[in-house]
């Protein structure tokens, strides 16, 4: 097009541009992306010059961050992605940037005429295509510098930069797939449990394996670490619990705990116990020191589907596949309350009122609010026409949202 810088000249034009303008100039943005990649481009927005309107820079940065997965695959989606996320905004702060994009003729691209992409400046910061199947677990490091993820049946653990979605590292764990991870020692150590019954410990910074232990069990499902980070407990699909010395990787105890899979596992730090909730409808507590059974509770009608452990580790609440809901007093070692009110699977449990109450979401289309000491629901909230899957409380607990 007449007056348009030639393709090979665009980078020189952008490079010579004033720092006060270039972050909001599409020629410069396109040239930088062409010369490097989306993640290097995003880093240039981390410390914008003071002369630029900061809100405009932030919105453009957000738009680029949201566009990262598409631009990583195809840089020529830049004008479509960027304009498609800026059309929601009516602002003169970024000058003629939208007009620059709309006039772009370097190559063919689809121009969005209506808002259709996730807008910049909203709650969603970025989207990462992390694994081929669903995400099995995701953990932030303590300072939120990195995000660690594992995918269903994926043999690789991936480490991401949450500021821009850039992949920072990969750990090849197990061809069998990793089912559970834990970060320890101020994020210096990463523990993984896999479907072959193997525990691995990594130096997280160096990416080097410190040890691996084959427990000889079925697929490992859960990890639980004691407060002092001295022992690690792992539960398996065939009902076993292994207790290991975290430093050396030595197996201290191996317990035939349940007849079926153990999908919920917790360490109780004050009492030195490990708590297991099995698909065999039993809740058990074991001594970490010697592996002996301390408590064995029954009462569930089917396999557990939702579990809550109180912060003070004095109360455990379990809901199951047929709507049974029971609270156990862990200090006294006995059942506290068996609630009456649900007739089908319990999908989620939340604490309320300083953990004196619980809220439950069920496949029976109800959301119930309970006092821990009362068997009947304080409130039974109807209105859904289908199974209630998720619930959320506002920070002041005056609003409850439910999704079916």
């Amino acid at each position: 097009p007449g007056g348009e810088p030639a393709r090979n000249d665009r980078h020189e034009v952008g490079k010579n541009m004033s720092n006060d303008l270039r972050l909001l100039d599409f020629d410069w943005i396109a040239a930088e992306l062409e010369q490097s990649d989306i993640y290097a481009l995003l880093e240039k927005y981390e410390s914008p010059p003071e002369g630029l309107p900061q809100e405009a820079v932030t919105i453009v940065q957000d738009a680029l961050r949201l566009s990262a997965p598409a631009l990583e695959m195809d840089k020529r989606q830049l004008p479509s992605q960027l304009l498609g996320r800026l059309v929601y905004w009516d602002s003169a702060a970024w000058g003629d940037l939208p007009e620059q994009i709309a006039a772009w003729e370097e190559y063919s691209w689809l121009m969005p005429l209506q808002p259709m992409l996730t807008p910049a400046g909203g709650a969603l910061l970025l989207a990462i295509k992390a694994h081929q199947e669903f995400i099995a677990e995701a953990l932030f490091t303590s300072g939120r510098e990195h995000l660690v993820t594992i995918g269903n049946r994926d043999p690789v653990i991936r480490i991401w930069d949450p500021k821009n979605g850039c992949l920072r590292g990969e750990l090849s764990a197990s061809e069998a797939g990793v089912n559970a991870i834990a970060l320890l020692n101020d994020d210096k150590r990463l523990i993984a449990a896999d479907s072959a019954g193997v525990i691995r410990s990594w130096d997280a910074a160096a990416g080097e394996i410190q040890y691996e232990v084959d427990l000889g069990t079925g697929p490992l499902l859960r990890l639980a670490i004691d407060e002092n980070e001295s022992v690690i407990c792992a539960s398996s699909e065939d009902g076993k619990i292994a207790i290991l010395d975290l430093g050396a990787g030595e197996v201290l105890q191996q317990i035939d705990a349940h007849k079926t899979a153990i999908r919920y596992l917790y360490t109780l730090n004050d009492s030195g116990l490990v708590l297991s909730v099995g698909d065999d409808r039993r809740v058990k507590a074991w001594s970490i020191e010697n592996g002996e059974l301390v408590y064995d509770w029954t009462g569930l009608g089917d396999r557990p589907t939702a579990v809550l452990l109180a912060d003070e580790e004095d109360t455990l609440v379990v809901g199951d596949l047929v709507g049974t809901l029971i609270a156990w007093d862990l200090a006294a070692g006995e059942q506290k309350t068996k609630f009456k009110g649900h007739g089908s699977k319990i999908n989620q449990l939340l604490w309320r009122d300083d953990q004196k109450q619980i809220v439950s979401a069920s496949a029976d289309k109800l959301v119930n609010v309970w006092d821990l000491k009362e068997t009947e629901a304080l409130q039974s909230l109807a209105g859904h026409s289908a199974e209630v899957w998720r619930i959320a409380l506002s920070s002041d607990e005056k609003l409850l949202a439910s999704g079916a």
Side-chain angles (χ1 to χ4, degrees):
E4 182 83 20
R7 182 184 181 92
N8 293 333
D9 294 336
R10 282 206 320 272
H11 187 65
E12 290 301 316
V13 171
K15 188 166 65 175
N16 295 327
M17 183 174 297
S18 165
N19 284 343
D20 289 344
L21 298 173
R22 63 183 188 174
L23 295 180
L24 300 178
D25 180 86
F26 189 68
D27 281 337
W28 179 86
I29 294 170
E32 287 295 317
L33 180 62
E34 182 181 321
Q35 292 291 321
S36 54
D37 59 37
I38 180 58
Y39 303 110
L41 175 58
L42 282 167
E43 286 181 359
K44 296 180 184 297
Y45 284 80
E46 289 300 318
S47 300
E50 294 181 1
L52 281 176
Q54 298 302 304
E55 181 186 17
V57 173
T58 299
I59 296 299
V60 174
Q61 181 186 27
D62 286 351
L64 289 168
R65 188 189 297 116
L66 288 168
S67 304
L71 298 178
E72 191 173 23
M73 293 188 295
D74 182 5
K75 294 179 181 179
R76 291 193 168 206
Q77 291 195 44
L78 175 63
S80 300
Q81 287 285 324
L82 195 53
L83 186 60
R85 300 182 194 282
L86 296 179
V87 292
Y88 295 85
W89 291 85
D90 182 17
S91 174
W94 43 57
D96 62 352
L97 177 60
E99 288 76 15
Q100 272 189 298
I101 302 173
W104 183 256
E105 296 181 359
E106 182 68 28
Y107 43 74
S108 299
W109 56 283
L110 294 175
M111 180 184 293
L113 300 178
Q114 300 180 40
M116 297 189 69
L117 298 177
T118 302
L124 180 63
L125 295 178
L126 58 86
I128 302 172
K129 176 60 177 175
H131 299 271
Q132 291 300 312
E133 295 195 25
F134 66 83
I135 305 298
E137 193 165 2
L139 299 175
F140 278 108
T141 55
S142 56
R144 297 192 295 180
E145 293 91 353
H146 294 99
L147 174 67
V148 184
T149 64
I150 56 174
N152 182 49
R153 299 190 292 186
D154 196 323
V156 177
I157 302 169
R158 294 193 169 94
I159 303 169
W160 308 88
D161 185 333
K163 295 193 297 295
N164 56 28
C166 181
L167 180 63
R168 294 302 186 191
E170 291 185 329
L171 300 174
S172 296
S174 166
E175 290 301 323
V178 181
N179 296 326
I181 52 175
L183 285 165
L184 308 167
N185 298 341
D186 296 325
D187 305 325
K188 296 176 182 177
R189 177 180 290 191
L190 176 67
I191 307 292
D194 71 19
S195 289
V198 176
I199 294 277
R200 290 179 177 83
S201 174
W202 275 274
D203 180 317
E208 297 175 351
I209 291 181
Q210 297 170 319
Y211 59 75
E212 59 181 44
V213 182
D214 188 344
L215 298 176
T217 67
L220 298 173
L221 301 179
R222 292 290 181 269
L223 293 172
I225 316 293
D226 76 322
E227 190 175 42
N228 298 322
E229 297 186 354
S230 59
V231 298
I232 182 169
C233 304
S235 66
S236 70
E237 197 171 85
D238 55 358
K240 293 181 172 59
I241 296 174
I243 302 174
L244 296 84
D245 180 293
L246 195 52
E250 176 187 356
V251 178
L252 303 176
Q253 310 289 340
Q254 196 144 1
I255 306 167
D256 289 322
H258 293 262
K259 296 179 181 179
T260 54
I262 304 170
R263 303 184 193 277
Y264 302 93
L265 191 71
Y266 307 91
T267 55
L268 305 180
N269 296 298
D270 292 340
S271 56
L273 302 178
V274 57
L275 193 67
S276 59
V277 185
D279 281 2
D280 58 3
R281 301 179 290 176
R282 303 181 85 93
V283 178
K284 299 183 180 183
W286 311 83
S287 168
I288 291 176
E289 183 178 359
N290 57 32
E292 292 184 357
L293 180 64
V294 178
Y295 299 125
D296 183 1
W297 297 308
T298 60
L300 294 174
D302 209 314
R303 69 173 179 84
T305 54
V307 177
L308 274 183
L309 177 64
D311 293 340
E312 298 297 322
E313 298 182 349
D314 57 353
T315 303
L316 179 77
V317 184
V318 182
D320 72 13
L321 194 63
V322 294
T324 311
L325 186 59
I326 299 177
W328 278 279
D329 185 326
L330 299 180
E334 60 188 21
Q335 181 176 301
K336 177 183 289 187
T337 312
K338 188 168 185 177
F339 305 97
K340 300 175 182 177
H342 282 304
S344 191
K345 179 177 65 167
I346 295 174
N347 288 319
Q348 189 181 358
L349 297 169
L350 294 177
W351 290 114
R352 185 176 182 272
D353 189 22
D354 293 326
Q355 301 190 351
K356 298 172 186 174
Q357 297 178 0
I358 55 174
V359 186
S360 56
S362 173
D364 62 8
K365 309 174 189 177
L366 295 176
V367 176
N368 286 350
V369 182
W370 314 83
D371 185 292
L372 277 177
K373 298 178 181 179
E374 304 294 333
T375 59
E376 301 291 336
L378 296 175
Q379 292 178 285
S380 189
L381 308 175
H384 282 290
S385 59
E387 179 172 357
V388 184
W389 285 97
R390 290 292 179 264
I391 47 178
L393 282 166
S394 62
S395 57
D396 60 6
E397 299 187 352
K398 294 181 179 179
L399 293 176
L400 172 67
S402 56

